[in-house]
Amino acid sequence: MEFGIETSQKLTPRRSADVLAVAVRATTHDGVKPLSEQTVLDLGRLSESGAAASQTTHLMVLDRPGEINAHVLGYAHVEHDPRAEFATYELVVHPEHRRRGVGAELIVHVLATWPGARGWAHGNLDGARGLAASRGLRVVRDLWQMALALKGDSDLPEVALPQGFAVRSFEMGRDEEEWLRVNAATFAGHGEQGRIVRSDLNDRMSQPWFDPHGFLLIEDVSDPDQPRLAAFHWTKVEPAEPGSSRSTAGEVYVVGVDPAYQGRGLGSVTTLLGLRHLQACGLAEATLYVDGDNAAAVSTYRRLGFEQTHVDVMYAP
């Protein structure tokens, strides 16, 4: 089958919708989402408004390049933020058009344009491993998903906040800027989470899964007139992925402690507060993502009963 590749800094709403449809087909087929949350949010924004990010390039493999009715066979989303050490990309190939060179065409084009670019393989499925091996790529980072049963009799440790601290739910219209400040300070060395800005936060708050009651803020209230955000646990609950045999789970979406308050045991307390919230929601399971080489965090989560369920990996030349 003949095909061609198109490169664009800006997708039309129709094309972004076509790409999202391919991602849904791949998720249903594989049981794993091929594109990250941020990429899907970006594409959804394109579908609604036609806006585009100047630091993003879209690559599409089409069966009839240049024709308005051409079908999308594969897609790559490349982020090339000049502040980042290297470009990153994700790609998806329509399940009915795999093993025909579509994925290889995308990777060849990406690496020819951005030598050293690193690509995520969500779930690291057999096809992704084979494609990486054929291009001489190696794993340079692994991101674990871990899970914990949250049945009614789960043995979660008792939790109590240290004296001088209190917990409350996030309030829209009040807490955005302070949360962004603490998040940026907490994840200053983290390539993705640390770069979240107000528009990214607004995107997430507009999603059907967003629940401010599950967005827990721990404040230093030693001065009641000037409480200060010290830590947070943002939980997330959304339906199980299409094609997955797993039931709806709660997610430890983001846990953060302001560097000014680290070393006081707030990390463990904040994590447990969120887990108890998810348990009170009647969910059977909690999940989270953590870098596989973060030994301290992995050890902490294992002590709570979390076990690895699958892994996303990043490939580089």
Side-chain angles (χ1 to χ4, degrees), residues 148-163:
L148 169 70
L150 283 181
K151 297 178 182 178
D153 58 352
S154 290
D155 189 22
L156 288 176
E158 294 297 324
V159 57
L161 283 167
Q163 186 174 0

Side-chain angles (χ1 to χ4, degrees), residues 263-308:
R264 304 191 193 186
L266 287 178
S268 297
V269 170
T270 304
T271 300
L272 283 168
L273 285 171
L275 290 174
R276 286 197 171 275
H277 167 79
L278 293 173
Q279 188 177 51
C281 290
L283 299 170
E285 186 179 58
T287 64
L288 58 82
Y289 288 90
V290 61
D291 276 293
D293 62 358
N294 188 340
V298 170
S299 178
T300 296
Y301 293 135
R302 286 200 185 280
R303 284 198 300 272
L304 289 172
F306 280 90
E307 295 293 340
Q308 182 186 356

Side-chain angles (χ1 to χ4, degrees), residues 149-192:
L150 283 181
K151 297 178 182 178
D153 58 352
S154 290
D155 189 22
L156 288 176
E158 294 297 324
V159 57
L161 283 167
Q163 186 174 0
F165 293 89
V167 60
R168 65 174 177 86
S169 296
F170 183 92
E171 293 184 24
M172 297 175 68
R174 170 187 174 186
D175 294 320
E176 288 87 345
E177 293 306 320
E178 179 65 0
W179 180 82
L180 286 167
R181 182 192 69 78
V182 173
N183 179 75
T186 302
F187 296 100
H190 193 283
E192 297 93 3

Side-chain angles (χ1 to χ4, degrees), residues 34-282:
L35 302 177
S36 67
E37 178 185 61
Q38 185 60 56
T39 296
V40 172
L41 287 173
D42 289 346
L43 287 166
R45 193 185 307 120
L46 286 167
S47 296
E48 294 169 2
S49 66
S54 60
Q55 297 165 351
T56 300
T57 297
H58 308 274
L59 308 177
M60 291 183 298
V61 174
L62 305 174
D63 59 353
R64 298 187 304 279
E67 295 188 20
I68 191 170
N69 292 320
H71 295 102
V72 176
L73 310 183
Y75 168 78
H77 182 276
V78 187
E79 292 283 349
H80 39 90
D81 188 332
R83 296 172 296 174
E85 181 181 354
F86 43 78
T88 60
Y89 64 94
E90 297 174 303
L91 64 84
V92 56
V93 178
H94 193 296
E96 295 178 6
H97 299 284
R98 295 177 179 175
R99 301 183 184 279
R100 301 179 183 180
V102 174
E105 181 76 8
L106 286 167
I107 289 181
V108 167
H109 194 100
V110 168
L111 294 179
T113 309
W114 299 276
R118 299 184 176 189
W120 280 108
H122 299 289
N124 200 23
L125 304 174
D126 290 344
R129 292 198 298 270
L131 181 58
S134 72
R135 309 313 308 175
L137 306 180
R138 62 187 180 90
V139 174
V140 293
R141 180 182 174 190
D142 59 332
L143 186 67
W144 292 12
Q145 185 179 65
M146 304 184 76
L148 169 70
L150 283 181
K151 297 178 182 178
D153 58 352
S154 290
D155 189 22
L156 288 176
E158 294 297 324
V159 57
L161 283 167
Q163 186 174 0
F165 293 89
V167 60
R168 65 174 177 86
S169 296
F170 183 92
E171 293 184 24
M172 297 175 68
R174 170 187 174 186
D175 294 320
E176 288 87 345
E177 293 306 320
E178 179 65 0
W179 180 82
L180 286 167
R181 182 192 69 78
V182 173
N183 179 75
T186 302
F187 296 100
H190 193 283
E192 297 93 3
Q193 185 67 26
R195 293 203 300 266
I196 285 182
V197 295
R198 182 61 182 267
S199 60
D200 299 318
L201 178 57
N202 290 343
D203 282 343
R204 286 157 175 76
M205 292 193 300
S206 70
Q207 297 305 303
W209 56 260
F210 178 72
D211 177 10
H213 297 99
F215 195 162
L216 307 179
L217 305 182
I218 287 76
E219 291 183 317
D220 177 352
V221 292
S222 54
D223 181 352
D225 295 327
Q226 292 185 313
R228 180 177 177 182
L229 179 59
F232 61 88
H233 186 159
W234 188 351
T235 66
K236 177 181 180 181
V237 181
E238 62 178 341
E241 297 176 359
S244 172
S245 60
R246 303 176 70 177
S247 59
T248 300
E251 182 179 339
V252 178
Y253 190 49
V254 192
V255 176
V257 179
D258 188 321
Y261 289 92
Q262 291 176 4
R264 304 191 193 186
L266 287 178
S268 297
V269 170
T270 304
T271 300
L272 283 168
L273 285 171
L275 290 174
R276 286 197 171 275
H277 167 79
L278 293 173
Q279 188 177 51
C281 290

